[in-house]
Amino acid sequence: EDKVVQSPLSLVVHEGDTVTLNCSYEVTNFRSLLWYKQEKKAPTFLFMLTSSGIEKKSGRLSSILDKKELSSILNITATQTGDSAIYLCAEAASGTYKYIFGTGTRLKVLA
Amino acid sequence: DTGVSQDPRHKITKRGQNVTFRCDPISEHNRLYWYRQTLGQGPEFLTYFQNEAQLEKSRLLSDRFSAERPKGSFSTLEIQRTEQGDSAMYLCASSGNEAFFGQGTRLTVV
Protein backbone atom coordinates (compact mmCIF):
# COMPACT_ATOMS: atom_id res chain seq x y z
CA GLU A 1 0.00 0.00 0.00
CA ASP A 2 1.34 3.44 -0.92
CA LYS A 3 2.40 5.57 2.01
CA VAL A 4 3.19 9.24 2.63
CA VAL A 5 5.12 10.41 5.69
CA GLN A 6 5.48 14.04 6.65
CA SER A 7 7.88 15.63 9.08
CA PRO A 8 8.00 17.32 11.42
CA LEU A 9 4.52 16.71 12.81
CA SER A 10 4.44 20.20 14.24
CA LEU A 11 6.58 23.29 14.17
CA VAL A 12 6.51 26.64 15.96
CA VAL A 13 8.47 29.55 14.50
CA HIS A 14 8.54 33.34 14.73
CA GLU A 15 7.50 35.72 12.02
CA GLY A 16 10.26 36.22 9.50
CA ASP A 17 11.74 32.76 9.95
CA THR A 18 12.20 30.35 7.04
CA VAL A 19 10.76 26.86 7.37
CA THR A 20 11.23 23.63 5.47
CA LEU A 21 8.60 20.94 5.57
CA ASN A 22 9.35 17.41 4.44
CA CYS A 23 7.33 14.77 2.65
CA SER A 24 8.53 11.28 1.77
CA TYR A 25 6.55 8.75 -0.18
CA GLU A 26 6.57 5.07 -1.00
CA VAL A 27 4.88 4.34 -4.30
CA THR A 28 5.44 1.74 -6.94
CA ASN A 29 5.05 4.02 -9.96
CA PHE A 30 5.09 7.69 -9.09
CA ARG A 31 2.82 10.01 -11.03
CA SER A 32 2.47 13.26 -9.07
CA LEU A 33 2.87 14.86 -5.65
CA LEU A 34 0.64 17.64 -4.37
CA TRP A 35 0.94 20.12 -1.52
CA TYR A 36 -2.07 21.65 0.25
CA LYS A 37 -2.60 24.22 2.99
CA GLN A 38 -5.41 23.53 5.43
CA GLU A 39 -6.63 26.16 7.82
CA LYS A 40 -9.96 25.66 9.50
CA LYS A 41 -11.83 24.00 6.70
CA ALA A 42 -10.94 22.27 3.45
CA PRO A 43 -7.43 21.92 2.04
CA THR A 44 -6.48 24.54 -0.52
CA PHE A 45 -4.21 23.59 -3.39
CA LEU A 46 -0.63 24.93 -3.42
CA PHE A 47 1.52 22.96 -5.88
CA MET A 48 1.62 19.88 -8.04
CA LEU A 49 4.98 18.29 -8.84
CA THR A 50 5.57 15.69 -11.51
CA SER A 51 8.51 14.16 -13.32
CA SER A 52 8.33 17.01 -15.82
CA GLY A 53 7.85 19.72 -13.22
CA ILE A 54 10.03 19.11 -10.20
CA GLU A 55 10.24 22.65 -8.90
CA LYS A 56 7.47 25.17 -8.31
CA LYS A 57 7.42 28.62 -6.75
CA SER A 58 4.72 31.05 -5.79
CA GLY A 59 5.64 34.12 -3.81
CA ARG A 60 7.26 33.08 -0.55
CA LEU A 61 6.42 29.41 -1.07
CA SER A 62 8.43 26.97 -3.12
CA SER A 63 8.58 23.23 -3.49
CA ILE A 64 11.04 20.75 -4.93
CA LEU A 65 10.62 17.09 -5.83
CA ASP A 66 13.52 14.68 -5.42
CA LYS A 67 12.56 11.55 -7.34
CA LYS A 68 15.77 9.79 -6.43
CA GLU A 69 15.14 10.22 -2.70
CA LEU A 70 11.34 9.78 -3.09
CA SER A 71 10.74 13.00 -1.24
CA SER A 72 9.67 16.59 -1.54
CA ILE A 73 10.19 19.73 0.49
CA LEU A 74 8.02 22.79 0.91
CA ASN A 75 9.86 25.98 1.81
CA ILE A 76 8.24 29.07 3.23
CA THR A 77 10.44 32.15 3.54
CA ALA A 78 9.76 35.25 5.65
CA THR A 79 6.91 33.48 7.44
CA GLN A 80 3.83 35.43 8.52
CA THR A 81 1.15 34.63 11.08
CA GLY A 82 -1.20 33.92 8.17
CA ASP A 83 0.99 30.98 7.21
CA SER A 84 -0.17 29.17 10.37
CA ALA A 85 -1.96 26.07 9.12
CA ILE A 86 -1.62 22.37 8.52
CA TYR A 87 0.38 21.58 5.41
CA LEU A 88 -0.58 18.36 3.68
CA CYS A 89 1.31 16.35 1.12
CA ALA A 90 -0.37 13.80 -1.17
CA GLU A 91 0.92 11.48 -3.86
CA ALA A 92 -0.65 9.50 -6.68
CA ALA A 93 0.74 6.48 -8.44
CA SER A 94 0.68 5.90 -12.15
CA GLY A 95 -2.46 4.10 -13.25
CA THR A 96 -4.65 5.64 -10.59
CA TYR A 97 -5.91 9.08 -9.76
CA LYS A 98 -6.31 8.23 -6.09
CA TYR A 99 -4.34 10.60 -3.88
CA ILE A 100 -2.83 9.30 -0.65
CA PHE A 101 -2.30 11.95 2.03
CA GLY A 102 0.17 12.21 4.85
CA THR A 103 -0.94 13.28 8.31
CA GLY A 104 0.32 16.80 7.74
CA THR A 105 2.67 19.24 9.43
CA ARG A 106 1.05 21.72 11.79
CA LEU A 107 2.84 25.06 11.48
CA LYS A 108 2.34 27.85 13.97
CA VAL A 109 3.91 31.24 13.28
CA LEU A 110 4.18 33.54 16.29
CA ALA A 111 4.07 37.32 15.94
CA ASP B 1 -19.59 28.00 -10.42
CA THR B 2 -16.06 28.63 -9.33
CA GLY B 3 -15.48 25.81 -6.88
CA VAL B 4 -16.55 22.50 -5.41
CA SER B 5 -19.78 22.78 -3.46
CA GLN B 6 -20.91 20.45 -0.67
CA ASP B 7 -24.22 20.23 1.10
CA PRO B 8 -25.00 20.25 3.96
CA ARG B 9 -22.08 21.89 5.73
CA HIS B 10 -23.01 20.34 9.04
CA LYS B 11 -25.09 17.32 9.96
CA ILE B 12 -25.98 16.00 13.39
CA THR B 13 -27.69 12.65 13.41
CA LYS B 14 -28.65 9.97 15.87
CA ARG B 15 -26.84 6.66 15.80
CA GLY B 16 -28.58 4.24 13.48
CA GLN B 17 -29.98 6.87 11.13
CA ASN B 18 -29.07 7.17 7.45
CA VAL B 19 -27.47 10.30 6.08
CA THR B 20 -26.78 11.52 2.55
CA PHE B 21 -24.33 14.18 1.44
CA ARG B 22 -24.14 15.92 -1.90
CA CYS B 23 -21.17 17.21 -3.86
CA ASP B 24 -21.23 19.43 -6.93
CA PRO B 25 -17.81 19.44 -8.61
CA ILE B 26 -16.17 22.07 -10.76
CA SER B 27 -18.11 21.76 -14.00
CA GLU B 28 -15.27 20.89 -16.36
CA HIS B 29 -13.73 18.27 -14.04
CA ASN B 30 -14.43 14.65 -14.87
CA ARG B 31 -12.92 13.11 -11.72
CA LEU B 32 -14.63 13.35 -8.36
CA TYR B 33 -13.34 12.08 -5.03
CA TRP B 34 -14.70 11.48 -1.54
CA TYR B 35 -12.40 11.64 1.47
CA ARG B 36 -12.94 11.44 5.22
CA GLN B 37 -10.88 13.40 7.71
CA THR B 38 -10.73 13.09 11.48
CA LEU B 39 -8.92 15.36 13.91
CA GLY B 40 -5.16 15.22 13.60
CA GLN B 41 -5.21 13.07 10.49
CA GLY B 42 -4.82 13.74 6.80
CA PRO B 43 -7.74 13.08 4.45
CA GLU B 44 -8.42 9.37 4.07
CA PHE B 45 -9.43 8.17 0.60
CA LEU B 46 -12.90 6.67 0.32
CA THR B 47 -13.71 6.45 -3.38
CA TYR B 48 -13.41 8.19 -6.73
CA PHE B 49 -15.31 8.50 -9.99
CA GLN B 50 -14.30 9.24 -13.52
CA ASN B 51 -17.44 10.62 -15.08
CA GLU B 52 -20.20 8.29 -13.84
CA ALA B 53 -17.95 5.26 -13.31
CA GLN B 54 -16.80 4.47 -9.78
CA LEU B 55 -13.22 3.40 -10.49
CA GLU B 56 -11.84 2.74 -7.05
CA LYS B 57 -13.17 2.21 -3.56
CA SER B 58 -11.16 1.98 -0.34
CA ARG B 59 -10.96 -1.44 1.28
CA LEU B 60 -11.63 0.40 4.53
CA LEU B 61 -15.06 1.45 3.32
CA SER B 62 -17.72 -0.69 4.92
CA ASP B 63 -20.87 -1.84 3.15
CA ARG B 64 -22.77 0.88 4.99
CA PHE B 65 -21.17 3.46 2.71
CA SER B 66 -22.27 3.95 -0.86
CA ALA B 67 -21.54 6.65 -3.40
CA GLU B 68 -23.10 7.48 -6.73
CA ARG B 69 -22.50 9.88 -9.56
CA PRO B 70 -25.45 9.07 -11.80
CA LYS B 71 -24.93 11.49 -14.68
CA GLY B 72 -21.27 12.21 -14.26
CA SER B 73 -21.98 15.56 -12.63
CA PHE B 74 -22.94 15.78 -8.94
CA SER B 75 -22.31 12.94 -6.53
CA THR B 76 -23.94 11.66 -3.35
CA LEU B 77 -22.41 9.77 -0.45
CA GLU B 78 -24.80 7.81 1.74
CA ILE B 79 -24.01 6.30 5.10
CA GLN B 80 -26.53 3.81 6.40
CA ARG B 81 -27.04 2.91 10.06
CA THR B 82 -24.59 5.55 11.24
CA GLU B 83 -22.22 4.79 14.11
CA GLN B 84 -20.39 7.17 16.41
CA GLY B 85 -17.14 6.25 14.66
CA ASP B 86 -18.53 7.77 11.46
CA SER B 87 -18.24 11.24 13.00
CA ALA B 88 -15.77 13.09 10.79
CA MET B 89 -15.41 15.72 8.10
CA TYR B 90 -16.42 14.33 4.71
CA LEU B 91 -14.57 16.08 1.92
CA CYS B 92 -15.33 16.05 -1.76
CA ALA B 93 -12.78 17.02 -4.39
CA SER B 94 -12.79 17.24 -8.15
CA SER B 95 -9.90 17.32 -10.57
CA GLY B 96 -8.71 17.92 -14.02
CA ASN B 97 -4.98 17.82 -13.30
CA GLU B 98 -4.95 19.16 -9.73
CA ALA B 99 -7.58 18.21 -7.17
CA PHE B 100 -9.62 20.98 -5.54
CA PHE B 101 -11.63 20.43 -2.39
CA GLY B 102 -15.04 21.58 -1.27
CA GLN B 103 -15.63 22.99 2.20
CA GLY B 104 -16.67 19.61 3.56
CA THR B 105 -19.62 18.24 5.48
CA ARG B 106 -19.01 17.82 9.19
CA LEU B 107 -20.94 14.82 10.47
CA THR B 108 -21.60 14.31 14.16
CA VAL B 109 -23.27 11.07 15.23
CA VAL B 110 -24.77 11.24 18.71
Side-chain angles (χ1 to χ4, degrees), chain A residues 43-83:
Chain A
T44 54
F45 174 79
L46 294 175
F47 299 119
M48 183 172 80
L49 303 166
T50 65
S51 298
S52 58
I54 63 171
E55 190 166 351
K56 294 286 176 72
K57 182 176 171 63
S58 176
R60 297 177 295 103
L61 277 66
S62 63
S63 183
I64 298 173
L65 177 70
D66 186 337
K67 284 197 67 181
K68 191 174 178 183
E69 296 296 324
L70 305 185
S71 66
S72 175
I73 60 171
L74 177 69
N75 280 319
I76 309 175
T77 60
T79 51
Q80 302 171 358
T81 54
D83 295 326

mmCIF file of all heavy atoms in Angstrom, chain A residues 43-83:
data_model
loop_
_atom_site.group_PDB
_atom_site.id
_atom_site.type_symbol
_atom_site.label_atom_id
_atom_site.label_comp_id
_atom_site.label_asym_id
_atom_site.label_seq_id
_atom_site.Cartn_x
_atom_site.Cartn_y
_atom_site.Cartn_z
ATOM 1 N N PRO A 43 -8.762 21.636 2.571
ATOM 2 C CA PRO A 43 -7.430 21.916 2.041
ATOM 3 C C PRO A 43 -7.506 22.779 0.788
ATOM 4 O O PRO A 43 -8.382 22.583 -0.058
ATOM 5 C CB PRO A 43 -6.900 20.522 1.692
ATOM 6 C CG PRO A 43 -7.733 19.563 2.473
ATOM 7 C CD PRO A 43 -9.073 20.195 2.599
ATOM 8 N N THR A 44 -6.587 23.742 0.691
ATOM 9 C CA THR A 44 -6.484 24.545 -0.521
ATOM 10 C C THR A 44 -5.200 24.180 -1.247
ATOM 11 O O THR A 44 -4.145 24.004 -0.634
ATOM 12 C CB THR A 44 -6.507 26.053 -0.213
ATOM 13 O OG1 THR A 44 -5.486 26.343 0.741
ATOM 14 C CG2 THR A 44 -7.833 26.483 0.336
ATOM 15 N N PHE A 45 -5.301 24.068 -2.554
ATOM 16 C CA PHE A 45 -4.214 23.593 -3.389
ATOM 17 C C PHE A 45 -3.072 24.597 -3.423
ATOM 18 O O PHE A 45 -3.275 25.812 -3.566
ATOM 19 C CB PHE A 45 -4.748 23.354 -4.799
ATOM 20 C CG PHE A 45 -3.682 23.005 -5.799
ATOM 21 C CD1 PHE A 45 -3.163 21.726 -5.854
ATOM 22 C CD2 PHE A 45 -3.208 23.955 -6.681
ATOM 23 C CE1 PHE A 45 -2.195 21.395 -6.770
ATOM 24 C CE2 PHE A 45 -2.238 23.640 -7.607
ATOM 25 C CZ PHE A 45 -1.727 22.363 -7.650
ATOM 26 N N LEU A 46 -1.825 24.083 -3.304
ATOM 27 C CA LEU A 46 -0.635 24.932 -3.422
ATOM 28 C C LEU A 46 0.140 24.583 -4.696
ATOM 29 O O LEU A 46 0.289 25.404 -5.577
ATOM 30 C CB LEU A 46 0.279 24.752 -2.207
ATOM 31 C CG LEU A 46 -0.260 25.226 -0.860
ATOM 32 C CD1 LEU A 46 0.717 24.873 0.259
ATOM 33 C CD2 LEU A 46 -0.534 26.723 -0.878
ATOM 34 N N PHE A 47 0.665 23.349 -4.758
ATOM 35 C CA PHE A 47 1.518 22.959 -5.877
ATOM 36 C C PHE A 47 1.255 21.516 -6.298
ATOM 37 O O PHE A 47 0.881 20.686 -5.472
ATOM 38 C CB PHE A 47 3.003 23.018 -5.480
ATOM 39 C CG PHE A 47 3.504 24.364 -5.065
ATOM 40 C CD1 PHE A 47 4.002 24.563 -3.780
ATOM 41 C CD2 PHE A 47 3.508 25.430 -5.948
ATOM 42 C CE1 PHE A 47 4.477 25.786 -3.388
ATOM 43 C CE2 PHE A 47 3.980 26.674 -5.561
ATOM 44 C CZ PHE A 47 4.470 26.855 -4.279
ATOM 45 N N MET A 48 1.529 21.247 -7.559
ATOM 46 C CA MET A 48 1.618 19.877 -8.043
ATOM 47 C C MET A 48 2.977 19.691 -8.693
ATOM 48 O O MET A 48 3.396 20.507 -9.520
ATOM 49 C CB MET A 48 0.516 19.549 -9.061
ATOM 50 C CG MET A 48 0.562 18.099 -9.497
ATOM 51 S SD MET A 48 -0.838 17.585 -10.499
ATOM 52 C CE MET A 48 -0.371 18.209 -12.098
ATOM 53 N N LEU A 49 3.661 18.615 -8.313
ATOM 54 C CA LEU A 49 4.984 18.294 -8.839
ATOM 55 C C LEU A 49 4.905 16.966 -9.574
ATOM 56 O O LEU A 49 4.291 16.018 -9.092
ATOM 57 C CB LEU A 49 5.994 18.192 -7.685
ATOM 58 C CG LEU A 49 6.108 19.447 -6.820
ATOM 59 C CD1 LEU A 49 6.846 19.142 -5.531
ATOM 60 C CD2 LEU A 49 6.815 20.545 -7.582
ATOM 61 N N THR A 50 5.530 16.920 -10.729
ATOM 62 C CA THR A 50 5.567 15.690 -11.512
ATOM 63 C C THR A 50 6.986 15.483 -12.026
ATOM 64 O O THR A 50 7.861 16.308 -11.794
ATOM 65 C CB THR A 50 4.610 15.763 -12.713
ATOM 66 O OG1 THR A 50 5.084 16.791 -13.596
ATOM 67 C CG2 THR A 50 3.197 16.109 -12.263
ATOM 68 N N SER A 51 7.180 14.421 -12.761
ATOM 69 C CA SER A 51 8.508 14.156 -13.316
ATOM 70 C C SER A 51 8.955 15.275 -14.247
ATOM 71 O O SER A 51 10.141 15.542 -14.395
ATOM 72 C CB SER A 51 8.493 12.839 -14.084
ATOM 73 O OG SER A 51 8.187 11.780 -13.221
ATOM 74 N N SER A 52 7.982 15.941 -14.876
ATOM 75 C CA SER A 52 8.326 17.006 -15.819
ATOM 76 C C SER A 52 8.277 18.380 -15.175
ATOM 77 O O SER A 52 8.554 19.383 -15.824
ATOM 78 C CB SER A 52 7.389 16.962 -17.028
ATOM 79 O OG SER A 52 6.046 17.083 -16.604
ATOM 80 N N GLY A 53 7.920 18.428 -13.908
ATOM 81 C CA GLY A 53 7.849 19.718 -13.218
ATOM 82 C C GLY A 53 8.239 19.527 -11.778
ATOM 83 O O GLY A 53 7.388 19.364 -10.904
ATOM 84 N N ILE A 54 9.559 19.504 -11.527
ATOM 85 C CA ILE A 54 10.034 19.106 -10.199
ATOM 86 C C ILE A 54 10.249 20.279 -9.267
ATOM 87 O O ILE A 54 10.623 20.087 -8.117
ATOM 88 C CB ILE A 54 11.331 18.272 -10.304
ATOM 89 C CG1 ILE A 54 12.442 19.116 -10.923
ATOM 90 C CG2 ILE A 54 11.084 16.996 -11.092
ATOM 91 C CD1 ILE A 54 13.798 18.437 -10.856
ATOM 92 N N GLU A 55 10.047 21.492 -9.749
ATOM 93 C CA GLU A 55 10.242 22.654 -8.904
ATOM 94 C C GLU A 55 9.164 23.688 -9.209
ATOM 95 O O GLU A 55 8.917 24.009 -10.370
ATOM 96 C CB GLU A 55 11.620 23.258 -9.133
ATOM 97 C CG GLU A 55 12.000 24.319 -8.129
ATOM 98 C CD GLU A 55 13.478 24.662 -8.169
ATOM 99 O OE1 GLU A 55 14.237 23.943 -8.861
ATOM 100 O OE2 GLU A 55 13.881 25.630 -7.511
ATOM 101 N N LYS A 56 8.505 24.162 -8.138
ATOM 102 C CA LYS A 56 7.467 25.169 -8.308
ATOM 103 C C LYS A 56 7.673 26.269 -7.281
ATOM 104 O O LYS A 56 8.178 26.038 -6.186
ATOM 105 C CB LYS A 56 6.067 24.534 -8.099
ATOM 106 C CG LYS A 56 5.684 23.505 -9.145
ATOM 107 C CD LYS A 56 5.331 24.150 -10.441
ATOM 108 C CE LYS A 56 5.033 23.118 -11.527
ATOM 109 N NZ LYS A 56 3.760 22.433 -11.321
ATOM 110 N N LYS A 57 7.262 27.482 -7.659
ATOM 111 C CA LYS A 57 7.418 28.616 -6.748
ATOM 112 C C LYS A 57 6.227 29.534 -6.911
ATOM 113 O O LYS A 57 5.749 29.788 -8.019
ATOM 114 C CB LYS A 57 8.719 29.356 -7.067
ATOM 115 C CG LYS A 57 9.021 30.519 -6.157
ATOM 116 C CD LYS A 57 10.384 31.116 -6.508
ATOM 117 C CE LYS A 57 10.637 32.414 -5.759
ATOM 118 N NZ LYS A 57 10.679 32.253 -4.309
ATOM 119 N N SER A 58 5.777 30.056 -5.773
ATOM 120 C CA SER A 58 4.718 31.047 -5.791
ATOM 121 C C SER A 58 4.931 31.973 -4.610
ATOM 122 O O SER A 58 4.723 31.580 -3.449
ATOM 123 C CB SER A 58 3.346 30.372 -5.703
ATOM 124 O OG SER A 58 2.321 31.343 -5.635
ATOM 125 N N GLY A 59 5.394 33.164 -4.888
ATOM 126 C CA GLY A 59 5.640 34.120 -3.814
ATOM 127 C C GLY A 59 6.688 33.600 -2.851
ATOM 128 O O GLY A 59 7.797 33.247 -3.257
ATOM 129 N N ARG A 60 6.308 33.530 -1.572
ATOM 130 C CA ARG A 60 7.258 33.079 -0.551
ATOM 131 C C ARG A 60 7.319 31.557 -0.418
ATOM 132 O O ARG A 60 8.112 31.028 0.357
ATOM 133 C CB ARG A 60 6.862 33.702 0.788
ATOM 134 C CG ARG A 60 6.937 35.225 0.822
ATOM 135 C CD ARG A 60 6.467 35.793 2.165
ATOM 136 N NE ARG A 60 5.050 35.520 2.395
ATOM 137 C CZ ARG A 60 4.600 34.582 3.214
ATOM 138 N NH1 ARG A 60 5.435 33.809 3.892
ATOM 139 N NH2 ARG A 60 3.295 34.425 3.374
ATOM 140 N N LEU A 61 6.464 30.863 -1.157
ATOM 141 C CA LEU A 61 6.420 29.406 -1.069
ATOM 142 C C LEU A 61 7.104 28.787 -2.279
ATOM 143 O O LEU A 61 6.949 29.269 -3.407
ATOM 144 C CB LEU A 61 4.970 28.910 -1.017
ATOM 145 C CG LEU A 61 4.252 28.903 0.325
ATOM 146 C CD1 LEU A 61 4.029 30.301 0.862
ATOM 147 C CD2 LEU A 61 2.952 28.142 0.230
ATOM 148 N N SER A 62 7.822 27.720 -2.032
ATOM 149 C CA SER A 62 8.432 26.969 -3.125
ATOM 150 C C SER A 62 8.494 25.504 -2.730
ATOM 151 O O SER A 62 8.493 25.158 -1.538
ATOM 152 C CB SER A 62 9.836 27.502 -3.449
ATOM 153 O OG SER A 62 10.690 27.341 -2.335
ATOM 154 N N SER A 63 8.551 24.658 -3.745
ATOM 155 C CA SER A 63 8.580 23.226 -3.493
ATOM 156 C C SER A 63 9.461 22.540 -4.523
ATOM 157 O O SER A 63 9.495 22.951 -5.691
ATOM 158 C CB SER A 63 7.160 22.657 -3.544
ATOM 159 O OG SER A 63 7.182 21.279 -3.228
ATOM 160 N N ILE A 64 10.145 21.517 -4.069
ATOM 161 C CA ILE A 64 11.036 20.752 -4.935
ATOM 162 C C ILE A 64 10.747 19.269 -4.749
ATOM 163 O O ILE A 64 10.495 18.806 -3.633
ATOM 164 C CB ILE A 64 12.512 21.025 -4.587
ATOM 165 C CG1 ILE A 64 12.853 22.490 -4.818
ATOM 166 C CG2 ILE A 64 13.440 20.141 -5.422
ATOM 167 C CD1 ILE A 64 14.241 22.871 -4.337
ATOM 168 N N LEU A 65 10.787 18.543 -5.850
ATOM 169 C CA LEU A 65 10.617 17.090 -5.829
ATOM 170 C C LEU A 65 11.967 16.429 -6.077
ATOM 171 O O LEU A 65 12.684 16.810 -6.999
ATOM 172 C CB LEU A 65 9.638 16.673 -6.924
ATOM 173 C CG LEU A 65 9.381 15.174 -7.108
ATOM 174 C CD1 LEU A 65 8.595 14.625 -5.930
ATOM 175 C CD2 LEU A 65 8.643 14.927 -8.421
ATOM 176 N N ASP A 66 12.299 15.456 -5.244
ATOM 177 C CA ASP A 66 13.524 14.682 -5.417
ATOM 178 C C ASP A 66 13.112 13.239 -5.703
ATOM 179 O O ASP A 66 12.847 12.468 -4.791
ATOM 180 C CB ASP A 66 14.390 14.769 -4.153
ATOM 181 C CG ASP A 66 15.748 14.106 -4.329
ATOM 182 O OD1 ASP A 66 15.876 13.219 -5.211
ATOM 183 O OD2 ASP A 66 16.679 14.453 -3.606
ATOM 184 N N LYS A 67 13.040 12.879 -6.971
ATOM 185 C CA LYS A 67 12.557 11.547 -7.342
ATOM 186 C C LYS A 67 13.507 10.449 -6.914
ATOM 187 O O LYS A 67 13.100 9.334 -6.637
ATOM 188 C CB LYS A 67 12.313 11.469 -8.843
ATOM 189 C CG LYS A 67 11.053 12.165 -9.304
ATOM 190 C CD LYS A 67 10.641 11.715 -10.686
ATOM 191 C CE LYS A 67 10.200 10.260 -10.670
ATOM 192 N NZ LYS A 67 9.825 9.790 -12.018
ATOM 193 N N LYS A 68 14.783 10.793 -6.842
ATOM 194 C CA LYS A 68 15.767 9.785 -6.429
ATOM 195 C C LYS A 68 15.573 9.424 -4.963
ATOM 196 O O LYS A 68 15.646 8.261 -4.583
ATOM 197 C CB LYS A 68 17.171 10.341 -6.660
ATOM 198 C CG LYS A 68 18.281 9.323 -6.518
ATOM 199 C CD LYS A 68 19.607 9.940 -6.912
ATOM 200 C CE LYS A 68 20.739 8.943 -6.727
ATOM 201 N NZ LYS A 68 22.049 9.552 -7.049
ATOM 202 N N GLU A 69 15.308 10.439 -4.135
ATOM 203 C CA GLU A 69 15.136 10.221 -2.705
ATOM 204 C C GLU A 69 13.684 9.951 -2.335
ATOM 205 O O GLU A 69 13.369 9.767 -1.171
ATOM 206 C CB GLU A 69 15.641 11.440 -1.923
ATOM 207 C CG GLU A 69 17.127 11.690 -2.072
ATOM 208 C CD GLU A 69 17.955 10.545 -1.501
ATOM 209 O OE1 GLU A 69 17.561 9.945 -0.473
ATOM 210 O OE2 GLU A 69 19.005 10.234 -2.086
ATOM 211 N N LEU A 70 12.781 9.974 -3.331
ATOM 212 C CA LEU A 70 11.343 9.779 -3.090
ATOM 213 C C LEU A 70 10.856 10.756 -2.029
ATOM 214 O O LEU A 70 10.233 10.363 -1.023
ATOM 215 C CB LEU A 70 11.046 8.338 -2.681
ATOM 216 C CG LEU A 70 11.532 7.238 -3.612
ATOM 217 C CD1 LEU A 70 11.041 5.887 -3.125
ATOM 218 C CD2 LEU A 70 11.091 7.484 -5.044
ATOM 219 N N SER A 71 11.129 12.013 -2.248
ATOM 220 C CA SER A 71 10.741 13.004 -1.238
ATOM 221 C C SER A 71 10.504 14.355 -1.887
ATOM 222 O O SER A 71 10.865 14.594 -3.056
ATOM 223 C CB SER A 71 11.824 13.114 -0.169
ATOM 224 O OG SER A 71 13.000 13.652 -0.724
ATOM 225 N N SER A 72 9.908 15.230 -1.105
ATOM 226 C CA SER A 72 9.666 16.591 -1.538
ATOM 227 C C SER A 72 9.796 17.499 -0.333
ATOM 228 O O SER A 72 9.572 17.077 0.817
ATOM 229 C CB SER A 72 8.263 16.722 -2.133
ATOM 230 O OG SER A 72 7.971 18.070 -2.463
ATOM 231 N N ILE A 73 10.179 18.740 -0.584
ATOM 232 C CA ILE A 73 10.192 19.730 0.487
ATOM 233 C C ILE A 73 9.336 20.922 0.075
ATOM 234 O O ILE A 73 9.189 21.218 -1.116
ATOM 235 C CB ILE A 73 11.611 20.207 0.849
ATOM 236 C CG1 ILE A 73 12.301 20.841 -0.353
ATOM 237 C CG2 ILE A 73 12.429 19.069 1.435
ATOM 238 C CD1 ILE A 73 13.607 21.529 -0.011
ATOM 239 N N LEU A 74 8.747 21.551 1.095
ATOM 240 C CA LEU A 74 8.016 22.793 0.910
ATOM 241 C C LEU A 74 8.724 23.848 1.751
ATOM 242 O O LEU A 74 8.873 23.671 2.962
ATOM 243 C CB LEU A 74 6.568 22.633 1.362
ATOM 244 C CG LEU A 74 5.691 23.897 1.300
ATOM 245 C CD1 LEU A 74 5.433 24.308 -0.140
ATOM 246 C CD2 LEU A 74 4.365 23.670 2.034
ATOM 247 N N ASN A 75 9.187 24.889 1.108
ATOM 248 C CA ASN A 75 9.861 25.980 1.806
ATOM 249 C C ASN A 75 8.940 27.192 1.900
ATOM 250 O O ASN A 75 8.268 27.546 0.924
ATOM 251 C CB ASN A 75 11.124 26.414 1.046
ATOM 252 C CG ASN A 75 12.288 25.497 1.308
ATOM 253 O OD1 ASN A 75 12.509 25.055 2.435
ATOM 254 N ND2 ASN A 75 13.036 25.191 0.276
ATOM 255 N N ILE A 76 8.949 27.809 3.048
ATOM 256 C CA ILE A 76 8.242 29.067 3.231
ATOM 257 C C ILE A 76 9.246 30.051 3.800
ATOM 258 O O ILE A 76 9.808 29.838 4.884
ATOM 259 C CB ILE A 76 7.043 28.941 4.185
ATOM 260 C CG1 ILE A 76 6.129 27.784 3.769
ATOM 261 C CG2 ILE A 76 6.255 30.253 4.209
ATOM 262 C CD1 ILE A 76 4.985 27.525 4.753
ATOM 263 N N THR A 77 9.502 31.129 3.061
ATOM 264 C CA THR A 77 10.437 32.152 3.539
ATOM 265 C C THR A 77 9.666 33.311 4.155
ATOM 266 O O THR A 77 8.484 33.512 3.869
ATOM 267 C CB THR A 77 11.302 32.679 2.388
ATOM 268 O OG1 THR A 77 10.429 33.243 1.395
ATOM 269 C CG2 THR A 77 12.128 31.564 1.754
ATOM 270 N N ALA A 78 10.344 34.065 5.014
ATOM 271 C CA ALA A 78 9.757 35.253 5.654
ATOM 272 C C ALA A 78 8.349 34.957 6.156
ATOM 273 O O ALA A 78 7.379 35.614 5.781
ATOM 274 C CB ALA A 78 9.748 36.423 4.675
ATOM 275 N N THR A 79 8.224 33.944 6.992
ATOM 276 C CA THR A 79 6.908 33.481 7.441
ATOM 277 C C THR A 79 6.104 34.606 8.090
ATOM 278 O O THR A 79 6.648 35.534 8.711
ATOM 279 C CB THR A 79 7.035 32.325 8.430
ATOM 280 O OG1 THR A 79 7.960 32.679 9.471
ATOM 281 C CG2 THR A 79 7.502 31.060 7.736
ATOM 282 N N GLN A 80 4.774 34.482 7.946
ATOM 283 C CA GLN A 80 3.833 35.432 8.525
ATOM 284 C C GLN A 80 2.826 34.644 9.357
ATOM 285 O O GLN A 80 2.655 33.436 9.148
ATOM 286 C CB GLN A 80 3.113 36.191 7.399
ATOM 287 C CG GLN A 80 4.044 36.929 6.463
ATOM 288 C CD GLN A 80 3.329 37.472 5.244
ATOM 289 O OE1 GLN A 80 2.138 37.276 5.045
ATOM 290 N NE2 GLN A 80 4.084 38.186 4.407
ATOM 291 N N THR A 81 2.124 35.334 10.241
ATOM 292 C CA THR A 81 1.153 34.627 11.082
ATOM 293 C C THR A 81 0.078 33.949 10.220
ATOM 294 O O THR A 81 -0.460 32.906 10.591
ATOM 295 C CB THR A 81 0.496 35.574 12.095
ATOM 296 O OG1 THR A 81 -0.070 36.679 11.397
ATOM 297 C CG2 THR A 81 1.528 36.085 13.100
ATOM 298 N N GLY A 82 -0.210 34.522 9.069
ATOM 299 C CA GLY A 82 -1.198 33.923 8.173
ATOM 300 C C GLY A 82 -0.762 32.611 7.545
ATOM 301 O O GLY A 82 -1.572 31.909 6.917
ATOM 302 N N ASP A 83 0.503 32.270 7.717
ATOM 303 C CA ASP A 83 0.987 30.981 7.212
ATOM 304 C C ASP A 83 0.655 29.853 8.191
ATOM 305 O O ASP A 83 0.842 28.679 7.865
ATOM 306 C CB ASP A 83 2.501 31.013 6.984
ATOM 307 C CG ASP A 83 2.922 31.976 5.900
ATOM 308 O OD1 ASP A 83 2.168 32.139 4.918
ATOM 309 O OD2 ASP A 83 4.010 32.592 6.042
#
